[in-house]
Amino acid sequence: MLKPLGDRVILQQQEEEEEQTIGGIVIANNAKEKPQSGKVVAVNDGRVLDNGTKVDPSVKVGDQVLFDKYAGTEVKYQGAKYLVLHEKDIVAIED
């Protein structure tokens, strides 16, 4: 598995479901908004501040999170799609 560096987190985004309107029209994937939630699959040990203090991450592997709309970089690794983003781009953890 990939290991994120610094304060980055790797997420597996929720699958996009095929959306169909009441009239039966199927909406193309590129016309839909991308999902803003996912499951944390990898977290680094934390980031180091300028003064040398280590800050532990506030999320852990397995957490379901919500993140900023245009945050992160999509990557493909061993056939699966992941999103790599900074921890600051995560806005909430789902209970």
Side-chain angles (χ1 to χ4, degrees):
M1 182 60 192
L2 297 171
K3 182 173 180 171
L5 300 176
D7 69 335
R8 289 180 179 83
V9 176
I10 299 178
L11 302 178
Q12 189 168 29
Q13 286 183 280
Q14 290 186 351
E15 294 295 319
E16 298 175 19
E17 297 178 9
E18 185 176 89
E19 190 173 325
Q20 193 169 10
T21 64
I22 295 173
I25 299 170
V26 176
I27 299 174
N29 282 341
N30 59 356
K32 294 188 239 177
E33 289 189 24
K34 71 179 195 174
Q36 290 178 257
S37 64
K39 182 179 179 181
V40 177
V41 295
V43 180
N44 198 355
D45 297 333
R47 63 186 170 103
V48 179
L49 300 176
D50 292 336
N51 65 6
T53 306
K54 183 179 167 190
V55 178
D56 291 331
S58 55
V59 295
K60 62 185 181 308
V61 173
D63 284 347
Q64 279 292 128
V65 297
L66 301 175
F67 53 88
D68 287 334
K69 190 172 200 169
Y70 298 106
T73 302
E74 292 181 358
V75 296
K76 206 171 204 182
Y77 179 72
Q78 295 183 345
K81 290 182 182 178
Y82 298 99
L83 185 69
V84 180
L85 59 128
H86 290 275
E87 186 180 14
K88 66 180 167 104
D89 293 329
I90 296 174
V91 295
I93 300 173
E94 295 179 16
D95 284 331

